[in-house]
Amino acid sequence: MQNTVLFSALLAFGLACSGCSTYFTLNQPLESWDKASGYRSSRRWSAERSDELLLVLAFSGGGTRASAFAYGVLEQLADTEIVIGGKRRRLLDEVDHISAVSGGSFTAAYYGLYGDRIFEDYESRFLDRDVQTKLLLKLMAPWNWVRMASPYYERGDLAAEAYNEYLFEDATYADMIASLGPFIQINATDIATGHPFSFIQEQFDFLCSDLASYPVARAVAASSAVPGVFTPLTLRNFAGKCGFAAPAWIDEEMRTPDAFSRAYVNAANLRSYLDADRRRYIRVVDGGISDNLGVRGPFESQVLSDPRQPRRPEIVGNLRNIVLVLVNAATTPEAAWENSDVSMTLSAVLQDATTVQINRYSLETMELLRSNFEAWNRTASRWKSPAQFHLVEVDFTKLSSAEERAYINKLPTSFTLGEGAVDRLRAAARGLLAESPPYLRFLQSVQGGEITP
């Protein structure tokens, strides 16, 4: 009898809690749309950064391995000084934009919120922590079983709560705005369409929703919500209630007969958000499904993405160097079942099939980037005031040590790493960036030319 009463009390408590924390109300409606307000990539977030340099970082997925690898790049940028515009600056202070997905989104979001504090406590709070076991313990807690009995609370919400507790301290995108750090673009995947979904106000405009009030921990949880392990995060669609005017190019593309062009598909995807009756809720999962490098969004949306541009566009202004540092933590571990006569398990099939698909898509993305950067450089060289585009690739395949490549290649995509792994990943990232030929060419080309690594 006592056990029954206790269980009933727990059930009532859990349902009450889950009702209070339903994910359907966490993204708030936008009262009135203003194209100049909110957390937008088009705004200049700090006047202190030089207008002669556009520095973009992209952090890939890959669990804690990706988080640590990205952290090492930030450390190297912090330790490198340049002279630009007659001022000596850390290169880290010149970062304008960080686009991140899955494991990389933890590092990007924490730096965007707290700046240099990341070098004081990020390792102890996240990188060196066995987050995976802590998530499992939360999942096994009886009070959370009761909460998850509600249709308004799922494993993705549990993960968001944990990340908020471990790292993000109830921070919202209003705090991200107030930090005046680089613009942080956290990327997830719209599970209904397979398209990237970015936690930026330009994306939330289509939902007539206010990103400023949205918890950063939930954006990161969505970006890293591996299907099957975590459930999607859910957003409410308020489209049609804030006076939002969709860009004209969307309707123009929808009138074209080429339904297989990238522009047409992107237009159709964005237009679908405007029908709130059909798409009342938007469910988003791991950004690695649609783009594990986190680079397509920022560069497909730039005016500079058209290599046919005949003249230097006004938007470029005083820019002399445009740099993308692509931090790719992908690995290609050997499949253990290739040396076994035992049938593959279903989980092994799903995991390997997903990894192969993501890696193949990432390869195609890299080829697209390389060709675009070459085209941009050809075009920019003809401008009256020339600019240079630099693509800096930081990935494990470029490690000179075969032993270190083999070691890192065996590190799992999880939220816990073995002893010493974080330090070796940080060291690898720092060395790879410091020795990258495109990176060194960029440093030499910076006005003033003085470099202090």
Side-chain angles (χ1 to χ4, degrees):
M1 179 65 179
Q2 287 181 336
N3 289 340
T4 302
V5 172
L6 178 60
F7 179 78
S8 298
L10 281 172
L11 179 62
F13 173 74
L15 291 177
C17 289
S18 62
C20 292
S21 61
T22 167
Y23 45 54
F24 293 164
T25 60
L26 277 175
N27 65 302
Q28 300 299 317
L30 194 62
E31 296 297 330
S32 179
W33 175 64
D34 179 358
K35 65 180 180 180
S37 66
Y39 194 65
R40 299 180 182 277
S41 59
S42 57
R43 293 174 62 181
R44 183 165 177 81
W45 293 99
S46 174
E48 293 182 2
R49 298 187 188 98
S50 171
D51 60 0
E52 299 176 17
L53 168 64
L54 174 63
L55 178 53
V56 180
L57 311 181
F59 296 160
S60 80
T64 303
R65 184 185 67 243
S67 303
F69 200 51
Y71 178 68
V73 166
L74 293 182
E75 288 183 301
Q76 184 62 27
L77 293 174
D79 287 345
T80 302
E81 290 186 344
I82 61 172
V83 175
I84 187 166
K87 297 180 181 179
R88 180 178 293 276
R89 305 259 297 159
R90 298 186 312 170
L91 193 52
L92 181 61
D93 296 325
E94 289 294 327
V95 174
D96 296 279
H97 190 135
I98 304 178
S99 179
V101 61
S102 199
S105 67
F106 290 87
T107 305
Y110 199 79
Y111 180 66
L113 283 168
Y114 305 119
D116 278 5
R117 172 178 155 184
I118 195 171
F119 303 122
E120 300 170 7
D121 61 8
Y122 185 61
E123 290 179 70
S124 60
R125 298 188 69 176
F126 185 73
L127 295 180
D128 291 334
R129 200 169 193 169
D130 187 353
V131 175
Q132 190 156 297
T133 297
K134 289 186 177 296
L135 287 172
L136 182 61
L137 291 174
K138 281 184 175 290
L139 184 63
M140 293 172 62
W143 48 87
N144 284 327
W145 299 349
V146 178
R147 297 173 77 192
M148 284 185 288
S150 164
Y152 303 110
Y153 186 88
E154 298 185 89
R155 294 192 304 278
D157 304 281
L158 183 71
E161 285 186 4
Y163 304 152
N164 187 61
E165 174 188 342
Y166 302 155
L167 279 179
F168 297 114
E169 305 171 352
D170 296 325
T172 65
Y173 274 86
D175 298 302
M176 197 78 85
I177 293 172
S179 74
L180 295 179
F183 184 78
I184 306 298
Q185 182 170 347
I186 303 299
N187 302 288
T189 301
D190 182 335
I191 197 170
T193 65
H195 277 72
F197 184 98
S198 295
F199 286 84
I200 58 177
Q201 187 57 52
E202 288 93 339
Q203 181 89 65
F204 271 53
D205 285 345
F206 284 85
L207 309 183
C208 272
S209 184
D210 176 27
L211 179 63
S213 60
Y214 196 76
V216 174
R218 290 188 69 82
V220 173
S223 182
S224 56
V226 178
V229 179
F230 299 107
T231 53
L233 276 290
T234 301
L235 297 164
R236 181 70 183 265
N237 190 354
F238 304 101
K241 299 180 180 180
C242 67
F244 169 64
W249 70 267
I250 292 180
D251 285 337
E252 293 171 3
E253 286 296 335
M254 294 301 293
R255 288 193 291 267
T256 66
D258 188 0
F260 291 100
S261 72
R262 183 184 296 117
Y264 180 93
V265 172
N266 287 342
N269 174 64
L270 290 171
R271 194 179 188 183
S272 72
Y273 294 120
L274 301 179
D275 187 352
D277 291 331
R278 186 175 68 86
R279 302 200 67 188
R280 293 180 62 195
Y281 301 105
I282 310 301
R283 291 177 167 85
V284 290
V285 294
D286 195 324
I289 296 173
S290 54
D291 176 17
N292 198 47
L293 298 176
V295 293
R296 285 183 173 264
F299 279 85
E300 286 188 352
S301 64
Q302 296 293 325
V303 173
L304 296 175
S305 63
D306 186 357
R308 299 165 299 177
Q309 189 73 260
R311 60 183 177 82
R312 183 182 175 95
E314 292 183 1
I315 192 173
V316 173
N318 295 324
L319 275 178
R320 297 292 181 270
N321 287 279
I322 299 93
V323 185
L324 170 61
V325 179
L326 177 55
V327 186
N328 184 6
T331 58
T332 53
E334 294 182 1
W337 49 264
E338 288 189 332
N339 292 316
S340 172
D341 58 357
V342 177
S343 297
M344 290 178 65
T345 63
L346 178 59
S347 62
V349 172
L350 292 175
Q351 180 177 346
D352 285 7
T354 302
T355 300
V356 167
Q357 182 181 19
I358 288 175
N359 286 348
R360 291 282 297 177
Y361 189 64
S362 294
L363 176 62
E364 295 301 321
T365 299
M366 283 305 312
E367 289 299 320
L368 176 63
L369 277 174
R370 290 170 187 143
S371 62
N372 277 352
F373 269 73
E374 290 175 2
W376 291 335
N377 271 318
R378 287 195 298 271
T379 300
S381 66
R382 298 194 296 269
W383 292 341
K384 185 177 180 180
S385 300
Q388 295 184 65
F389 290 79
H390 310 267
L391 176 59
V392 181
E393 301 175 40
V394 181
D395 64 74
F396 303 134
T397 65
K398 296 177 175 60
L399 284 168
S400 58
S401 168
E403 179 183 353
E404 203 65 9
R405 284 199 308 272
Y407 168 79
I408 290 178
N409 205 43
K410 292 179 181 178
L411 292 176
T413 301
S414 66
F415 285 121
T416 183
L417 294 174
E419 185 177 354
V422 168
D423 289 339
R424 292 174 75 167
L425 285 162
R426 290 166 53 202
R430 297 190 62 149
L432 285 167
L433 179 59
E435 298 168 6
S436 165
Y439 178 69
L440 293 173
R441 285 195 293 271
F442 150 66
L443 289 178
Q444 293 291 348
S445 71
V446 173
Q447 287 189 356
E450 189 175 345
I451 306 165
T452 308

